[in-house]
Structures are given as structure tokens and as C-alpha cells.
Amino acid sequence: MPNVATQDPELRRRSLRLRDLHGIGPELERKLAEIGIATIEDLATTYPRDYKDWRKPTPIAEIVRRALERAVGSQTGESFEEIAVAEVTSLREIRARVSLVSAELSDASGKITATWFGRCGLTRSLSVGDRVFVHGRVSLKRMRGALGVELNVLNHRRMKDGEDYVGAVVPVYPATKDVGSRTIAKVIAANFDVLAESVADEIPEAILRARGFPPLRDAWCDMHRPRTPEAALAAREVLIFAEFFDLALGAALRRVEREQERNAPEIMVAETTLAEFAATLPFSLTGGQRRAIAQIYADLRRPVPMNRLLQGDVGSGKTSVAAAAIVGAYRGGVQSALMAPTEILAAQHAAKLVPLLLPLGIRTEALFGSMGDAARERVRARIASGECELVVGTHALLTDGVSFNNLGLVVIDEQHRFGVHQRAKLRAKGCAPHTLAMTATPIPRTLAQTRFADLDFTLIDELPPGRTPVETYVLRESRKLRAYELIRKNIAKGRQAYVIAPAIDDRSSKSERDSGLTQAIEEYDYVRTEVFPDLRVGLVHGRLPSREKEDVMSSFVRGEIDVLLATTVVEVGVDVPNAVVMVILDAHRYGLAQLHQLRGRVGRGSARSYCVLVSPDERGAGERLDILARTNDGFAIAEHDLRLRHEGELAGTEQSGRSQMLGSLIDDFALYMKAKADADALAASDPNLSRPEHQALRKRIERVEGEREIRVSS
């Protein structure tokens, strides 16, 4: 253990390791680290997921009465947990296939049969006449031909002579196979004072007092050692408020900083630009698109870097909005860059944007990793010289050899497909360029940022005229041929269809092979020879050379392929209005956002369209697939995705997975709004946190940003 005797309390606390605490050796330290508890602060913020109210034992007669009441209308009723303090009046061990100990427990109100399963040898430490505390599950069982109440004992303690029962509200911590709830409870109890010291009261006392909240350390103590269940709920509210305040303040300070720097190019988009752009289009812009463009133009006119997320459901016209933003940037004399996650999508963007922008004099170049050296150098030279006003590309835009003459607008499509640092690297190629991110269905982290961080949000809330909602059905694997019958009926009408498989072939990863996933190549052979031998069937997957992929996709776009067997390479951007059926095999293996994106490849015209989600017979539909079948609303799907997949690390770079936060971004939204109001007010009154009462808070913000390289706006 390091010599920390002379350090100040904060440094001393931060220098402690888990193994320096009571009851934690190297093995337990390793197991805790595996479940995300690697520091003193991690342990301190491992909060109970539930509580057991063990303040008063229940009289046995009351336990029996409750069990019989629950059994009304059924043979056994629902089991439930109870505690009791009683005397052992009989005891016997039964050795069978599963050894058990059976006892009769009595108190002044009555008696009950208690059973310990798998507790061979218990009779050596427990005797008739002992007084015990027991906790277990109560159920109605048939005993000797009649129904009786039984207590299946989960925990017990032999009480000392004359000992009075002292109850408590017992915390129940998240448990895993290797680290149980009681292990975490024992470690926290053994180191309670040290852990309490790690909780710093950094939120100004005036803010907590105005909300009627106690100091954070008091709330922390009540979370782990509540006097009553109500005290635990109140403490939880305080700690969630503190988490949200921390998050909201970081976003508010960055927004203030961004407003103060005023270092972005002021793009003075003329009031007539939107009308001039709309007049060149072969279609009419929707009201949602016009509102989005107006917000973007207002951002471009300011010297504050735009940081806006454009969310529109699949087919809502986000590309046209991006085109309008690019026109605005061009009129302001700056270059634009549009980055997409795949060459197929980037090429489609380029193909859509060129005819929209060329009439206005905007020259477009594409930059892909698959390009030859000579072509790549030619495009790089035109970008660097400013000869092209827009470059559309993939990750190739991030390479060091790409430099811009005057990058003023960055558009990032399907922004969740790029990492935080990748997006930042593209922005760094300009001087504080305006940034427009686009997504069809926000992933959890994006949705959380939309509500709680330094992102402005624009929602295109309507589809262009003529778009038909996709009918979605869930089908068992054993009935897959019905989906193929649906494909044949629609192809007979001159339409096209997709079939999506999750794996390419048996060279896929071992986990994919072991899980029995449908293989695209194998399914392609089956569909081509057995199901649709008379139709034109194509195959595309990620392992094909780029040129071959492009050829297959081009053939499908031209209507030369009836059924396209594919992996998720067609997830985004593929626009074939004549395709009206999407069959997704092993649909249970995909996330909600991905399923919604795949479904978005159909329904892009006026014809009736279908999406069939196929999953194994034994799994059934499942909650996720049911959600897709119920709604086509991308924002509602994102809300469900947030509930199912959680928020990710809001202040870091993780995109999904369970957040370390105590609060729920959906369930505790009202509490967040209170924290945000207080954080915004503080940031406005003291944007540098320079006041004496804010010094501790300033240190925390600086420490968190330094440790996590926090950039919530990324």
C-alpha cells in the first residue's frame, strides 16, 4: 500500500486501490474489475438495485394467512418472500437424490414447515429449541395428501439466548455468477467510512438546499444504509440529480464556450437561397424539410460552430436537406465534406447530389479507399486547391493526405457508424467548421446526447407524398417458405425483393458458426436452385471486391435482378423504389436500429411493401421483433432501443451498453430537467466556475474531462 499519510484527503482517497480495502484480495479484485468495478469510486457508486424490508419479522400466522389468500382460485398460488423469528420445535434430515433438512418452526402465533435444500450437515449446527431468524420463499405445497404452507429457507441465523431481533432495510446489489450481492454488500459494509469519504459534496450547497436535498454524502449513506425504504428512494433522487447536474453542466459550459469563441465561418446565406434551391428540384420539399433547412441556415449565419443532429425516418429526405446546407456553404465561399460509412452509400450520395448541385455551379468529387493511386491524387489535389466545392467519401477522407482549401461544413451521414474520434478528426481538417450529423434511427448514445448534451436537434417529422408505410410481420423459421411465396407473388407483379442473411459463409467467425446463423452464400444457392430457379437471383456481401459489389447493386437498381440475397451491406442508403419485400433471416440477431434500417430499403415508392422478420421457432417473436411489427415510427423505435440497450457512456466514447449512471434517461427525465435548469443557470452566471464556492465543482469537471477525454458534443 502506498505511503499516503502526508497527502491531503482527496489525494489519499484517489491513491487507494481496491486491494487496499478490507476484505478484497487479488482474486476478488480481479473479479470486481471484470464487472466494471476497478476503483474506489466504482465501488462507492455500485448502488443497490433493490431493498428487502427486514425491519420487523412477520408472525407465522400472518405468513400462513397470506399464503392461503394468494392460493384462492388456484392449487398453489404465487410464492413470495418473508422473514420470521421462531423456535425450532422439530428437525430432521432427509437424504435422497437431493438432500434436505425439514423443520417445524413455531412462534406465539402459530407454526410452519421450513425446508433447507442441499444443506447436508445443518443438523450439526442447528438443534431443537434453537431460536432462529429465517428468510425464505413461502409457497403452498401438498403435504401428506393435504395442502400446507412451506417456507423454503434462503438465509438463516441462529440467535443468541435473550437476543432481541434488530431489523434493517437490507440492500440488494447487482450480482453476477462470480460476484454475488452479499459479497458486494460485505465489502461495502466493511469499508463504509472510507467509501463515504470518496463522495465529494461538489454541487453548491445553495442548489441542493433550494431543491430540498441534503448533502450528497448524506444521500450516499442513505442509499447503502437506509433507515426506511422511503429514505432510500429519497436518496436515490438526490444522487440521480447529482449525476444529471454533472452531465448537464458539462454540456452547458461547452455550449457557453462555443458561443464565446465565435470562431466558425459566418456563412451569410441569403434569404432567397432556399427558394432558388427548391426551384431547381424535380420534386417539392416537405414542410419538415423546409423547417430543417431554415434552422440550418440560421446556424450557418452565426460565427458559432453549428453542432446539429438531423434525424429523419428512412425516406424522409435527409439528403435533400444536406444538399440545401451544401448550397448555403457554397454561397458563403466555403467547401463542404460529406462522409458516409460505406462506399455503396457514399457513391449513392454522390449520384444523388451531383444532379441536385451541378445546376447551381457546385462541383463534386468522390474519394474512396478503393480508388487507384492516380485517381486518388487527382481528387486530393482538387480538394486542396479548392477546385471542388464538395467532396463525398468514406473513411478515406480522414487520411493525413487529404487537406482542404477552406472546409466550412462537415456532413456526417449515419453518424453512429463512425467513432467519436473519427468524427473529430474530420472536423479538425477545417477551422471550426459547422457540423451536421444525420441519422435515420438514433442509437442509444445519440438519443441521450440529443436530449442531454451539446447537440441541437432537428426532426423531419413527415414523409414525402406517396410513401407507403411498410407492413411488418414476424414469422417462425419453420414457415419461412411463406415469406418466399410472398416474394414470388410480388415479383409476378413486376416488383423486386431482398433476402437478408446475417453471415456470409462457413468462414465466418467461430461464434457465428456455432450459433447456426443462416449463411448468405448457402442460402443463395438454395434460393437460386430450389425456391426461385426461374427467377433472376443475385448475391452481394462484404467480402466481394468493391467493383463486383457495385456491379451487382447496379444490376439490382436497373431491375435486372429479381431477388437480391445480401448481408447487411444494404443496410443504409440503397434506394430501389421497385423493391417491395424485405425478408430478414435470423432477425433476432439484429438490433432494433439495424432492423429498422433494413426495413427502410423497401416502401420507398407508392406500392404496398412488406418486411418479414424470420426467427427460430423456439424463440418466438420476442420483445424487439414485436416492437418492429407494431410501429414504423423511427423515433419510437429509438426510445425502445434506449430502454433495451441503455445509454452507453454518455461522457465518453462507448456507443452502447449499460451506463454506469444510476438514473434512467427516460424514466427520470423530469428530474433531469430540474438538474439542467440549475446547470444552465450556473453556467450563465459563472461560465468559468471562478467563484470560490464553485472551485470544487470546477476541479471535478476538469478531472472528469481529463480522465475520460470527455467530449459530449462529439
Side-chain angles (χ1 to χ4, degrees):
M1 178 173 176
N3 182 7
V4 295
T6 60
Q7 295 178 354
D8 68 48
E10 182 181 356
L11 288 176
R12 180 169 58 82
R13 288 195 303 269
R14 293 178 60 199
S15 65
L16 285 174
R17 301 168 302 174
L18 284 180
R19 70 174 62 183
D20 297 324
L21 299 180
H22 295 295
I24 300 182
E27 180 64 16
L28 181 55
E29 183 181 45
R30 180 187 63 78
K31 290 180 179 179
L32 289 171
E34 288 176 353
I35 61 173
I37 304 175
T39 66
I40 300 294
E41 186 177 6
D42 291 339
L43 183 60
T45 54
T46 300
Y47 295 113
R49 62 172 177 79
D50 199 1
Y51 297 89
K52 295 184 183 297
D53 189 353
W54 287 1
R55 288 175 294 170
K56 294 181 180 179
T58 305
I60 288 177
E62 177 65 14
I63 294 174
V64 172
R65 185 188 66 79
R66 291 178 185 175
L68 294 174
E69 277 186 354
R70 291 179 181 232
V72 173
S74 70
Q75 286 297 308
T76 58
E78 294 181 2
S79 63
F80 58 97
E81 291 189 19
E82 277 290 1
I83 62 169
V85 173
E87 180 182 345
V88 179
T89 54
S90 70
L91 184 69
R92 65 192 180 109
E93 183 173 333
I94 303 172
R95 293 184 178 274
R97 187 168 55 183
V98 177
S99 62
L100 61 87
V101 173
S102 179
E104 184 178 87
L105 305 181
S106 302
D107 65 7
S109 69
K111 59 184 179 179
I112 192 171
T113 298
T115 304
W116 286 258
F117 285 94
R119 293 298 304 273
C120 182
L122 179 65
T123 53
R124 291 195 292 270
S125 59
L126 194 63
S127 305
V128 172
D130 285 345
R131 190 162 164 265
V132 293
F133 162 82
V134 289
H135 157 244
R137 296 202 66 84
V138 180
S139 59
L140 211 59
K141 294 289 181 71
R142 186 164 295 279
M143 305 174 184
R144 302 184 184 90
L147 288 177
V149 179
E150 180 182 77
L151 176 70
N152 179 10
V153 180
L154 303 175
N155 303 288
H156 82 280
R157 180 173 64 83
R158 184 175 176 274
M159 301 182 69
K160 298 176 182 177
D161 293 341
E163 177 185 351
D164 292 328
Y165 174 76
V166 178
V169 177
V170 179
V172 180
Y173 292 91
T176 67
K177 179 181 178 182
D178 293 328
V179 183
S181 173
R182 282 195 286 181
T183 298
I184 295 176
K186 287 179 181 178
V187 168
I188 289 177
N191 300 280
F192 196 82
D193 293 340
V194 173
L195 295 174
E197 282 185 13
S198 71
V199 181
D201 286 321
E202 291 158 335
I203 295 181
E205 181 184 352
I207 291 177
L208 293 173
R209 189 169 56 245
R211 292 291 180 187
F213 291 151
L216 297 185
R217 191 169 296 172
D218 292 353
W220 182 89
C221 291
D222 278 347
M223 272 293 285
H224 293 283
R225 288 182 177 176
R227 301 175 303 282
T228 65
E230 293 74 22
L233 286 175
R236 181 182 183 275
E237 183 178 18
V238 177
L239 295 173
I240 291 174
F241 176 89
E243 288 179 336
F244 285 157
F245 180 86
D246 195 14
L247 180 63
L249 181 61
L253 292 174
R254 280 184 293 279
R255 187 179 292 275
V256 169
E257 179 184 3
R258 194 156 55 92
E259 293 279 347
Q260 290 177 339
E261 287 181 357
R262 308 181 72 81
N263 57 352
E266 292 184 68
I267 302 173
M268 303 313 296
V269 186
E271 295 294 337
T272 58
T273 301
L274 175 54
E276 293 169 0
F277 170 67
T280 67
L281 299 176
F283 50 83
S284 297
L285 294 171
T286 66
Q289 287 173 309
R290 289 179 176 274
R291 286 189 294 273
I293 294 168
Q295 290 177 338
I296 292 168
Y297 281 177
D299 286 346
L300 295 180
R301 294 185 184 106
R302 304 178 68 223
V304 176
M306 174 174 67
N307 194 23
R308 186 168 292 278
L309 175 65
L310 176 65
Q311 193 243 319
D313 228 337
V314 286
S316 61
K318 296 184 295 298
T319 302
S320 298
V321 174
I326 293 164
V327 171
Y330 167 68
R331 292 289 176 87
V334 298
Q335 290 174 292
S336 299
L338 189 153
M339 184 167 68
T342 67
E343 287 196 11
I344 290 176
L345 180 53
Q348 283 207 274
H349 273 307
K352 285 184 179 180
L353 289 170
V354 166
L356 296 180
L357 301 177
L358 193 58
L360 297 168
I362 300 175
R363 295 166 294 184
T364 302
E365 290 286 353
L367 185 65
F368 305 140
S370 62
M371 294 173 68
D373 292 341
R376 187 183 302 112
E377 286 306 314
R378 180 188 63 80
V379 173
R380 284 177 176 174
R382 288 175 57 81
I383 296 170
S385 67
E387 292 179 64
C388 75
E389 289 80 23
L390 167 66
V391 57
V392 179
T394 56
H395 298 77
L397 294 176
L398 304 176
T399 59
D400 293 337
V402 177
S403 61
F404 289 80
N405 180 267
N406 185 18
L407 180 61
L409 173 65
V410 170
V411 181
I412 301 174
D413 193 26
E414 298 302 329
Q415 58 89 39
H416 65 277
R417 300 282 291 273
F418 297 97
V420 169
H421 302 301
Q422 289 174 316
R423 300 195 294 265
K425 189 172 183 179
L426 179 58
R427 288 197 301 271
K429 291 180 179 288
C431 181
H434 298 283
T435 302
L436 176 66
M438 302 193 299
T439 186
T441 302
I443 60 167
R445 181 173 181 269
T446 304
L447 181 58
Q449 285 178 285
T450 298
R451 287 179 168 176
F452 310 124
D454 190 24
L455 266 174
D456 296 314
F457 176 58
T458 293
L459 173 65
I460 302 178
D461 53 4
E462 58 184 302
L463 295 177
R467 293 297 300 271
T468 304
V470 179
E471 298 177 25
T472 304
Y473 303 95
V474 181
L475 200 64
R476 294 179 181 275
E477 173 72 27
S478 59
R479 306 179 74 185
K480 182 173 66 174
L481 287 179
R482 293 193 61 182
Y484 289 154
E485 290 171 9
L486 179 65
I487 288 177
R488 180 174 288 282
K489 287 180 182 178
N490 280 273
I491 290 176
K493 299 176 183 177
R495 304 299 182 183
Q496 293 166 275
Y498 298 92
V499 176
I500 307 300
I504 297 175
D505 57 21
D506 58 9
R507 289 182 294 167
S508 301
S509 67
K510 183 178 184 301
S511 62
E512 290 180 342
R513 294 196 304 271
D514 292 345
S515 62
L517 294 180
T518 303
Q519 298 168 15
I521 294 176
E522 182 179 321
E523 190 72 11
Y524 165 71
D525 291 336
Y526 166 67
V527 167
R528 181 173 55 88
T529 60
E530 300 293 332
V531 183
F532 303 128
D534 55 326
L535 300 181
R536 298 167 298 178
V537 182
L539 172 68
V540 64
H541 55 74
R543 210 178 288 154
L544 289 176
S546 296
R547 176 62 63 187
E548 191 172 341
K549 274 190 289 189
E550 291 295 335
D551 289 344
V552 174
M553 291 306 305
S554 296
S555 296
F556 189 62
V557 170
R558 292 192 300 268
E560 297 167 0
I561 292 175
D562 299 312
V563 182
L564 182 62
L565 205 303
T567 57
T568 54
V569 294
V570 300
E571 177 186 344
V572 293
V574 179
D575 188 3
V576 183
N578 193 49
V580 298
V581 182
M582 165 69 67
V583 175
I584 305 175
L585 306 176
D586 295 322
H588 62 290
R589 295 301 300 263
Y590 300 93
L592 270 177
Q594 196 170 32
L595 288 170
H596 185 58
Q597 287 280 13
L598 287 167
R599 176 171 62 180
R601 298 314 100 209
V602 296
R604 305 184 76 83
S606 58
R608 188 177 181 183
S609 298
Y610 310 87
C611 177
V612 182
L613 307 172
V614 181
S615 65
D617 289 22
E618 64 274 13
R619 296 188 66 92
E623 182 179 359
R624 289 185 306 109
L625 301 189
D626 276 340
I627 291 167
L628 265 294
R630 290 197 304 267
T631 182
N632 281 278
D633 184 335
F635 199 80
I637 291 168
E639 291 276 358
H640 286 294
D641 210 12
L642 182 62
R643 289 186 184 276
L644 294 174
R645 292 173 56 195
H646 309 291
E647 302 86 352
E649 185 191 355
L650 291 176
T653 57
E654 292 300 319
Q655 295 269 345
S656 63
R658 176 162 294 282
S659 166
Q660 295 302 310
M661 294 182 70
L662 179 63
S664 162
L665 295 171
I666 295 178
D667 298 335
D668 301 307
F669 182 66
L671 187 57
Y672 171 77
M673 293 307 294
K674 295 178 182 179
K676 183 179 186 301
D678 290 342
D680 288 346
L682 178 60
S685 64
D686 187 12
N688 297 316
L689 299 182
S690 56
R691 295 176 188 167
E693 64 269 29
H694 298 156
Q695 291 307 295
L697 191 56
R698 179 179 179 179
K699 287 182 179 179
R700 171 168 174 75
I701 294 294
E702 290 175 348
R703 185 174 77 246
V704 170
E705 294 206 6
E707 289 175 354
R708 299 184 182 179
E709 299 180 341
I710 182 173
R711 211 63 184 166
V712 180
S713 59
S714 295

